């Protein structure tokens, strides 16, 4: 009896740490049932969008009140790393809801499930960013992934969307099987007792000599699993297809929020749990990072559709971020990756918002569709140029500072060859970003009128562009600022 | 008690069968089954480790994995059914609209 009471008290005490997730899960569950039929009838489903935005805003408010600390027997921890990446995921979800409106209205596909899945996926990301245990890492990763498989296949009357969902699902499930097997090997090597990351680190340090191979195989499999989740070369094959076929707002979501959460777990798992066996994972991870930079940028050069180009560019950006994971100074690595991911979020959301705007008339998929945008919608074209140049990392834009801090840390940590590779490949990347700028400003526009700019899309573009430009002005102080807020 | 090495050998064979199935078979349903085999290979490891160490952590992990596998299959089957309705096929070789 007293055990049950102690358990209940501990749960109640620790639930303060997860109030945002409780709100997200509770709201999403209530939205699916019973509120869906009661509040809004058929044909009124678009009213779920403002409700979702209110839930997301409340989540943000709750996040401000969450205390730092560890709970649930060390399974979940709220610290600067968790908080920082949770904010990125939250902002990404808010932007996605804004960007989805035009598409969902146009296709008459407004349903409550769409919003509920975004909320469920977001709760998974929140858990993942703070997970400090093999169990919580694996299951929050899967909570996030399963919701996103559904979202990728959301337009079930379109062949391309279904195909994206099936491909993403099959490869995602395959990789999660490998990841789980890797975790089980690490669990055995650590003595089969604890699953906490800090306990795991100690147990692996004391593991007998004959389990070296077990640890190595486990680490390698975990690396493969996480490589799939963040779409790093050579485990990236699903990502261009899934990005291409999924509804474009969901593509924007997939390129930012899940990636942020998975990178956070990546830092946590490799920086804390496997820190002691870093000699096992540093060489393969360096290879993955280098391969992602090279192949992501080279493959992006020969793409003719915007979504695939952005998919390959996001593979390259993941390659840069993995250089931060390689840093032995975990806190500083986490900081520069967070900064990079936050900057990437704004540039990427802005660029996708412009693509979604052009898609209003069934175009915008191909890079040629940007022809003459500079003359017709000069403000929009200017914003797009800012996003693209910033993605390319051209100084003095915000994206440059993200890269600068990251490369500086990599040099300090002694990864000179990787950094050189990163510099060369980011020079290559400028070519395909500038191709789009070239189309916008130096090509004649085709006949026919452009769709009017919707309020929601205009809001996202304005916010992203404002953050990018204001951030540019404060670029040199960003790292210090990130340090002060404790990320 | 069965030795840990024996368990590892069996679970590795299960994993290998699963991976080979995913890579060789072209039927989406069979691929799904092979993924389940991979998850069960890991489960075997968890349960055996729990038995050897005399703690329940591994068993709890395995139970949770079974619950997750059920959820994953539910979503996977729904996706495959949606695919079949649109395209009249469940072969992954036939789904090739997205390329580049």
């Amino acid at each position: 009896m007293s055990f049950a009471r102690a358990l209940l008290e501990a749960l109640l005490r620790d639930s303060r740490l997860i109030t945002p997730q409780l709100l997200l899960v509770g709201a999403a569950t209530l939205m699916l049932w019973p509120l869906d039929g009661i509040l809004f009838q058929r044909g009124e489903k678009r009213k779920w969008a403002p409700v979702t935005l209110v839930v997301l805003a409340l989540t943000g408010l709750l996040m401000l009140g969450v205390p730092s600390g560890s709970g649930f027997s060390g399974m979940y921890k709220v610290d600067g790393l968790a908080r920082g990446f949770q904010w990125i995921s939250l902002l990404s979800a808010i932007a996605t809801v804004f960007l989805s409106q035009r598409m969902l209205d146009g296709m008459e596909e407004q349903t409550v499930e769409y919003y509920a899945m975004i909320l469920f996926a977001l709760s998974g990301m929140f858990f993942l960013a703070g997970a400090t245990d093999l169990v919580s890492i694996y299951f929050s990763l899967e909570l996030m992934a399963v919701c996103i498989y559904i979202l990728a296949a959301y337009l079930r009357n379109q062949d391309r969307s279904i195909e994206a969902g099936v491909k993403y699902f099959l490869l995602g499930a395959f990789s999660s099987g490998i990841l789980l097997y890797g975790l089980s090997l690490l669990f055995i090597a650590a003595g089969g007792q604890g699953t906490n990351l800090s306990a795991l680190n100690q147990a692996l340090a004391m593991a007998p000599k004959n389990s070296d191979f077990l640890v190595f195989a486990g680490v390698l499999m975990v690396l493969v699993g996480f490589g799939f989740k963040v779409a790093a070369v050579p485990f990236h094959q699903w990502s261009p297809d899934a990005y291409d076929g999924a509804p474009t707002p969901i593509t924007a979501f997939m390129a930012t929020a899940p990636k942020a959460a998975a990178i956070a777990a990546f830092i946590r798992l490799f920086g804390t749990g496997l820190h002691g066996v870093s000699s096992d994972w540093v060489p393969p991870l360096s290879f993955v990072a280098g391969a992602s930079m090279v192949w992501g940028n080279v493959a992006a050069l020969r793409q003719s559709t915007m979504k695939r180009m952005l998919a390959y560019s996001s593979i390259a950006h993941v390659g840069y971020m993995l250089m931060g994971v390689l840093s032995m100074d975990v806190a500083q690595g986490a900081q520069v990756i967070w900064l990079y991911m936050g900057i990437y979020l704004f540039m990427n959301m802005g660029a996708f918002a412009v693509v979604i705007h052009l898609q209003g008339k069934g175009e915008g998929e191909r890079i040629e569709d940007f022809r003459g945008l500079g003359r017709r919608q000069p403000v929009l074209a200017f914003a797009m140029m800012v996003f693209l140049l910033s993605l390319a990392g051209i100084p003095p834009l915000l994206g440059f500072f993200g890269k600068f801090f990251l490369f500086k840390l990599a040099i300090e940590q002694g990864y000179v060859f990787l950094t050189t590779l990163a510099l060369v490949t980011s020079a290559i990347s400028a070519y395909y970003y500038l191709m789009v700028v070239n189309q916008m400003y130096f090509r004649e526009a085709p006949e026919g009128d452009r769709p009017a700019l919707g309020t929601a899309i205009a809001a996202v573009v304005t916010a992203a562009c404002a953050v990018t430009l204001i951030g540019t002005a404060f670029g040199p102080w960003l790292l210090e600022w990130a340090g002060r807020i404790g990320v | 008690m069965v030795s840990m090495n024996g368990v590892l050998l069996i679970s590795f064979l299960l994993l290998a069968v699963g991976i080979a199935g995913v890579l060789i078979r072209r039927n989406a349903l069979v691929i799904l089954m092979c993924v389940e085999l991979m998850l069960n290979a890991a489960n075997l490891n968890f349960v055996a480790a729990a038995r050897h160490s005399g703690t329940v952590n591994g068993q709890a992990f395995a139970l949770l994995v079974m619950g997750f596998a059920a959820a994953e299959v539910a979503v996977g089957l729904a996706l495959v059914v949606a695919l079949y309705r649109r395209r009249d096929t469940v072969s992954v070789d036939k789904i090739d609209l997205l390329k580049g």
Side-chain angles (χ1 to χ4, degrees):
Chain A
M1 207 46 213
S2 64
F3 173 72
R5 172 170 295 168
L7 187 68
L8 196 66
E9 275 173 3
L11 276 182
L12 282 177
R13 192 185 61 237
D14 292 343
S15 63
R16 287 177 310 144
L17 296 173
I18 56 162
T19 44
Q21 286 96 319
L22 291 178
L23 174 72
L24 286 171
V25 172
T29 313
L30 285 178
M31 276 163 73
L32 285 176
W33 185 89
L35 291 182
D36 182 39
I38 300 172
L39 279 186
F40 305 124
Q41 304 306 318
R42 189 178 291 272
E44 296 183 320
K45 303 284 186 199
R46 67 188 313 272
K47 290 182 186 160
W48 279 115
V51 175
T52 311
L53 286 174
V54 170
V55 172
L56 291 173
L58 285 178
T59 308
L61 279 181
L62 280 180
M63 273 175 66
L64 295 175
V66 174
S68 295
S70 177
F72 300 101
S73 325
M75 281 206 169
Y76 181 75
K77 183 173 169 189
V78 179
D79 56 4
L81 175 69
R83 247 190 261 270
F85 283 94
Q86 286 172 348
W87 277 114
I88 292 179
S89 306
L90 181 69
L91 286 178
S92 166
I94 293 174
T96 306
V97 173
F98 271 110
L99 293 180
S100 307
Q101 295 313 308
R102 161 91 64 94
M103 176 203 77
L104 294 178
D105 284 341
M107 299 188 170
E108 297 185 351
E109 288 278 9
Q110 289 271 12
T111 61
V112 65
E113 285 83 5
Y114 185 83
Y115 300 108
M117 281 306 145
I118 291 182
L119 294 184
F120 277 129
L122 190 61
S123 75
M125 293 165 204
F126 273 42
F127 278 121
L128 184 56
T132 51
D133 188 291
L134 296 184
V135 180
S136 52
I137 286 180
Y138 182 72
F139 289 103
S140 39
L141 191 66
E142 294 308 329
L143 171 58
M144 169 182 103
V146 166
C147 294
I148 293 175
Y149 303 147
I150 300 173
L151 285 172
Y154 178 74
L155 298 175
R156 64 195 180 290
N157 296 319
Q158 281 192 0
D159 287 351
R160 292 160 59 86
S161 181
I162 294 279
E163 183 174 327
V166 170
K167 278 186 177 169
Y168 190 13
F169 172 79
L170 288 177
L171 284 173
F174 179 57
S175 71
S176 93
I178 294 178
L179 171 65
L180 186 68
Y181 195 82
L183 292 181
S184 78
L185 289 185
L186 291 176
F187 182 64
I188 290 176
Q193 299 201 345
T195 49
N196 261 327
L197 288 187
S198 49
L200 184 76
N201 196 21
Q202 283 166 8
L204 286 182
M206 301 206 286
K209 209 79 193 115
N210 60 10
S211 66
D212 271 359
F213 179 70
L214 216 54
V215 177
F216 183 60
V219 166
L220 225 51
M221 284 178 161
V222 170
L223 190 62
V224 170
F226 266 97
F228 263 106
K229 296 288 175 198
V230 298
V233 176
F235 319 111
H236 66 288
Q237 288 91 345
W238 60 270
S239 116
D241 287 354
Y243 279 34
D244 196 5
T248 317
I250 294 304
T251 311
F253 189 53
M254 276 161 49
T256 46
K259 223 159 249 188
I263 284 270
F266 211 124
I267 300 168
R268 189 91 72 175
L269 180 58
F270 284 85
T272 331
L274 305 174
H275 198 63
V277 291
S278 58
S279 57
D280 280 345
W281 54 265
V282 165
L285 188 58
S286 312
F287 169 75
V288 168
S292 304
M293 294 170 208
V294 173
W295 182 242
N297 283 319
V298 170
L301 286 176
R302 50 183 187 83
Q303 299 305 319
S304 56
T305 67
M306 200 64 196
K307 276 162 93 178
R308 290 190 88 87
M309 191 199 93
L310 286 172
Y312 278 110
S313 106
S314 103
I315 291 172
H317 285 285
V318 163
Y320 302 140
M321 282 187 264
L322 289 183
M323 286 202 311
V325 179
L326 285 168
S327 154
M328 282 300 115
D329 183 351
V330 181
Q332 214 180 359
Q335 209 171 59
V336 292
I337 293 174
W338 178 75
L339 214 49
Y340 195 93
M341 192 71 221
I343 292 169
Y344 177 71
L345 165 77
F346 289 103
M347 304 179 307
N348 207 45
M349 274 296 168
F352 269 108
V354 178
V355 174
I356 290 168
H357 162 66
L358 288 182
Q359 265 183 334
K361 288 211 137 184
E363 49 182 17
E365 293 268 321
R366 289 170 304 148
I367 293 175
E368 294 167 16
D369 293 337
F370 283 79
R371 273 177 305 175
L373 193 68
R375 187 155 311 155
R376 292 183 161 199
Q377 286 171 316
V379 181
L380 195 67
F382 173 74
M384 186 66 177
M385 187 177 73
V386 169
F387 300 139
L388 290 171
L389 295 184
S390 185
L391 277 168
I394 290 173
L397 285 165
L398 188 55
F400 164 74
F401 290 104
K403 281 203 172 116
F404 176 75
F405 295 135
L406 201 50
F407 294 178
K408 185 162 157 272
L409 180 69
I411 291 271
E412 282 167 8
Q413 296 285 331
Y415 297 102
V416 179
F417 176 70
L418 261 188
T419 317
T420 319
L421 203 60
L423 282 170
V424 172
T425 52
S426 61
I428 295 175
S429 79
Y431 176 76
Y432 60 80
Y433 292 122
L434 287 171
M435 280 291 284
V436 182
V437 176
N438 173 37
Q439 293 280 349
M440 289 196 299
Y441 284 100
F442 302 110
R443 291 291 157 86
E444 279 305 309
E447 293 302 312
D449 48 307
R450 296 272 177 185
L453 193 60
T455 340
I457 292 173
V460 173
V461 173
T462 315
C465 193
V467 170
T468 311
L469 290 176
I470 295 171
T472 301
F474 292 99
W477 298 281
L478 278 178
L479 194 61
E480 199 186 318
W481 172 74
R484 200 170 314 146
I485 61 170
V487 173
Chain B
M1 196 185 277
V2 186
S3 80
M4 204 63 216
N5 286 340
V7 174
L8 274 172
L9 182 66
I10 295 288
S11 83
F12 181 75
L13 285 177
L14 267 178
L15 180 81
V17 171
I19 292 181
V22 172
L23 298 180
I24 295 168
R25 297 299 297 267
R26 300 289 78 183
N27 183 322
L29 288 172
V30 178
I31 293 180
L32 211 54
M33 289 185 228
C34 292
V35 169
E36 296 303 305
L37 267 185
M38 293 167 64
L39 292 182
N40 282 327
N43 269 351
L44 191 61
N45 277 350
F46 282 123
V47 174
R51 181 101 172 89
H52 270 260
S53 69
T55 55
V56 293
N57 278 340
Q59 298 201 18
F61 205 152
L63 270 176
L64 287 168
V65 170
M66 286 179 197
F68 158 70
E72 189 180 45
V73 164
V75 171
L77 286 181
L79 283 173
V80 172
V81 168
L83 178 74
Y84 184 72
R85 282 201 185 142
R86 291 289 308 174
R87 308 280 289 275
D88 274 339
T89 178
V90 289
S91 164
V92 292
D93 281 341
K94 300 268 169 55
I95 51 171
D96 51 4
L97 286 177
L98 304 165
K99 272 189 209 143

